[in-house]
Amino acid sequence: MIYKSTTLYVLLMLALQGCSSSHQQQTQNMQDVLKLGNLKSCQSYRGLPEKWLQNPLSGMVKIQGGNYNIGNNNAYPEEKSLLNSIRKVANFYIDTTEVTNAQFQSFVDATGYITEAETQNEAAVFIQLTEKVTDLKWWKLEKNINWKYPWGIHAIRKALPNEPIRYVTLKDALEYAKWRGTELPTEEQWEYAAKAFSHEQDISVHHHIDANVWQGEFPYQNGTKDGFADVAPVGCFQANGFGLFDMIGNVWELTRTPFVGSHDDDHLGTQAQLSSRSASQYSAYTIKGGSYLCASNYCARYRATSRQPQEYNLAISHVGFRTVKNVE
């Protein structure tokens, strides 16, 4: 009887130690990023979370899965989900910030990887205008633009280590995730994380000051009330309910979900079937969350449910990514 009691006590203590260890690990993972959330902290952030390259979950937080309603039936047509709105997401880890230049530099240092923008020697660049033009004339394909030189080789302004990686394609993001032992989120995972258990139908900016978006008449005048004319360092604005920064605004974020229309447009197959096909079988993938170019008079996609197609092999100035890891 004493032996059984002792055994039960030991097993109980081991279980409690396991819970304590798991809690301590998650707390350690969040320790550095919890310092973010305002201008001072984001500008001093070095772009690498605590124990980077030592802890495989460095800079990530665990998201408890569940059911939620995807999409927004009162927004753009591609966001509507009238037939199959309830989605189930399993537990997963996700980067608390967009992947930074410093993190991507670690990947390049370790592998010698060269991005598609570097090999193609061109990328799509936003040009702020002062005179009226037709739609999309503010985009221009420029030579010698890539993640290392987002403003050009000879520009005085340089990329900062704490800024989100940009001018990367789907292939670049997938290669980074493979190196790190993570993957790109599905659209379902991403939107679930952005909504953060909110009971609201959608999550958006409030008066345009709690996310890096465009203030003023796009693309001619940006009031920069949020403090940034273009990209901002990660974590300059308050985190959402899951402790995630910049899920809305700053840069659009790549997912591994092909863009095939609205949520109800499943003629190309189910999510599982779509995910099983190779990247080259689709010309566009879904990006989420809006960017610093979203304004109230144009785009207005600074919301959790917003979604747009992004060409799989086009590097562009307002698209980045973050990664996830499924809980084993």
Side-chain angles (χ1 to χ4, degrees), residues 99-126:
V99 173
T100 64
N101 287 322
Q103 290 174 296
F104 199 81
Q105 183 69 63
S106 296
F107 159 59
V108 171
D109 290 344
T111 63
Y113 184 80
I114 300 174
T115 63
E116 289 199 290
E118 293 173 276
T119 57
Q120 295 168 359
N121 194 33
E122 69 176 12
V125 180
F126 170 75

Side-chain angles (χ1 to χ4, degrees), residues 79-144:
E79 298 175 41
K80 294 183 183 298
S81 183
L82 300 171
L83 304 177
N84 184 28
S85 63
I86 299 178
R87 305 296 172 92
K88 183 176 182 178
V89 176
N91 297 348
F92 63 98
Y93 295 94
I94 187 170
D95 292 327
T96 50
T97 72
E98 297 144 338
V99 173
T100 64
N101 287 322
Q103 290 174 296
F104 199 81
Q105 183 69 63
S106 296
F107 159 59
V108 171
D109 290 344
T111 63
Y113 184 80
I114 300 174
T115 63
E116 289 199 290
E118 293 173 276
T119 57
Q120 295 168 359
N121 194 33
E122 69 176 12
V125 180
F126 170 75
I127 307 295
Q128 185 169 347
L129 305 169
T130 56
E131 298 179 357
K132 296 287 184 180
V133 296
T134 56
D135 280 2
L136 303 182
K137 289 293 185 180
W138 43 81
W139 290 108
K140 186 177 180 182
L141 279 177
E142 294 274 12
K143 300 290 185 182
N144 301 315

Side-chain angles (χ1 to χ4, degrees), residues 36-314:
L36 298 175
N38 57 64
L39 186 61
K40 182 179 179 180
S41 61
C42 75
Q43 290 179 331
S44 62
Y45 180 52
R46 62 195 179 103
L48 296 174
E50 288 293 325
K51 295 194 175 183
W52 176 246
L53 300 184
Q54 300 174 39
N55 182 347
L57 297 177
S58 175
M60 305 186 89
V61 293
K62 185 177 180 180
I63 305 297
Q64 180 184 341
N67 297 328
Y68 79 108
N69 291 312
I70 198 169
N72 184 345
N73 293 329
N74 297 315
Y76 290 107
E78 70 272 9
E79 298 175 41
K80 294 183 183 298
S81 183
L82 300 171
L83 304 177
N84 184 28
S85 63
I86 299 178
R87 305 296 172 92
K88 183 176 182 178
V89 176
N91 297 348
F92 63 98
Y93 295 94
I94 187 170
D95 292 327
T96 50
T97 72
E98 297 144 338
V99 173
T100 64
N101 287 322
Q103 290 174 296
F104 199 81
Q105 183 69 63
S106 296
F107 159 59
V108 171
D109 290 344
T111 63
Y113 184 80
I114 300 174
T115 63
E116 289 199 290
E118 293 173 276
T119 57
Q120 295 168 359
N121 194 33
E122 69 176 12
V125 180
F126 170 75
I127 307 295
Q128 185 169 347
L129 305 169
T130 56
E131 298 179 357
K132 296 287 184 180
V133 296
T134 56
D135 280 2
L136 303 182
K137 289 293 185 180
W138 43 81
W139 290 108
K140 186 177 180 182
L141 279 177
E142 294 274 12
K143 300 290 185 182
N144 301 315
I145 297 288
N146 55 62
W147 73 279
K148 296 177 181 176
Y149 305 102
W151 291 278
I153 294 177
H154 303 295
I156 296 176
R157 185 177 175 183
K158 306 297 182 184
L160 298 178
N162 57 1
E163 290 173 345
I165 184 70
R166 300 180 295 146
Y167 294 110
V168 287
T169 64
L170 178 72
K171 177 179 179 291
D172 300 330
L174 290 173
E175 289 295 327
Y176 168 90
K178 181 181 178 181
W179 166 77
R180 196 180 172 200
T182 56
E183 57 188 347
L184 289 183
T186 63
E187 180 179 9
E188 291 176 349
Q189 286 176 315
W190 194 100
E191 187 169 319
Y192 181 82
K195 288 182 173 178
F197 282 151
S198 172
H199 294 294
E200 296 181 37
Q201 183 182 46
D202 204 352
I203 305 297
S204 179
V205 298
H206 301 287
H207 308 297
H208 293 189
I209 57 174
D210 59 351
N212 182 18
V213 297
W214 186 287
Q215 292 96 34
E217 184 185 4
F218 181 89
Y220 310 105
Q221 183 269 330
N222 187 355
T224 65
K225 293 179 181 179
D226 55 20
F228 301 96
D230 46 51
V231 68
V234 300
C236 290
F237 300 89
Q238 196 170 26
N240 74 0
F242 283 156
L244 308 178
F245 298 96
D246 302 311
M247 294 298 283
I248 307 299
N250 211 20
V251 293
W252 284 95
E253 298 184 20
L254 284 162
T255 72
R256 67 176 190 268
T257 300
F259 190 93
V260 295
S262 74
H263 293 296
D264 295 325
D265 189 0
D266 61 355
H267 66 280
L268 291 181
T270 65
Q271 177 63 49
Q273 292 170 329
L274 294 176
S275 299
S276 68
R277 300 177 189 175
S278 63
S280 60
Q281 290 181 270
Y282 301 98
S283 61
Y285 280 71
T286 305
I287 53 176
K288 299 286 289 180
S291 78
Y292 62 85
L293 295 180
C294 286
S296 58
N297 73 304
Y298 188 87
C299 176
R301 288 181 171 89
Y302 30 62
R303 294 173 291 101
T305 64
S306 64
R307 57 199 306 267
Q308 281 280 273
Q310 173 62 27
E311 294 176 57
Y312 76 96
N313 61 351
L314 177 66

